[in-house]
Amino acid sequence: MKLKILELASFEIEDAKQYYNLQQDKLGDRFKKDVQKSIDNIVLSPKLYPQVENSMRRCLLHRFPYSIFYDIDNDTVVVLSVAHQRRKPYYWVD
């Protein structure tokens, strides 16, 4: 499987990383590693995680309150958003 991370998702990852690093030294770095580990798992087994809307799927992070929303387009995993779970659901869809 190939991987494509949309610009919005990349921005959300970096924004959360900066926020967590301000809260505690290296916490943002641990957040980013957790996101990368989850994305690696998605690429290895893209259909492992549940569908939440049409063909869109969601992977919950283990240590942080974030969800990775993604879709499968032929042989490519497309990461659509990395959203905080307390935000309005699907705020990024528009």
Side-chain angles (χ1 to χ4, degrees):
M1 278 281 179
K2 297 176 189 171
L3 173 66
K4 178 179 180 182
I5 301 176
L6 295 186
E7 187 175 343
L8 171 65
S10 293
F11 173 77
E12 290 169 325
I13 294 166
E14 289 304 315
D15 188 50
K17 177 187 170 190
Q18 289 176 11
Y19 170 79
Y20 281 123
N21 275 337
L22 289 173
Q23 303 308 305
Q24 181 182 342
D25 190 40
K26 305 282 184 186
L27 184 59
D29 299 329
R30 290 195 297 265
F31 167 79
K32 192 165 181 179
K33 284 181 186 176
D34 198 21
V35 169
Q36 187 58 56
K37 182 178 177 183
S38 294
I39 289 174
D40 291 345
N41 288 337
I42 291 168
V43 170
L44 287 175
S45 300
K47 294 186 178 180
L48 176 67
Y49 301 97
Q51 288 181 276
V52 292
E53 182 95 14
N54 298 324
S55 63
M56 184 175 50
R57 295 176 180 270
R58 179 178 70 179
C59 170
L60 300 175
L61 295 185
H62 295 285
R63 297 183 191 121
F64 296 90
Y66 278 78
S67 298
I68 300 173
F69 291 93
Y70 68 97
D71 204 346
I72 303 167
D73 184 20
N74 296 320
D75 67 338
T76 304
V77 170
V78 181
V79 176
L80 306 168
S81 177
V82 179
H84 194 283
Q85 294 171 10
R86 299 265 176 153
R87 286 187 180 168
K88 182 179 174 184
Y90 311 111
Y91 73 94
W92 48 271
V93 170
D94 292 333

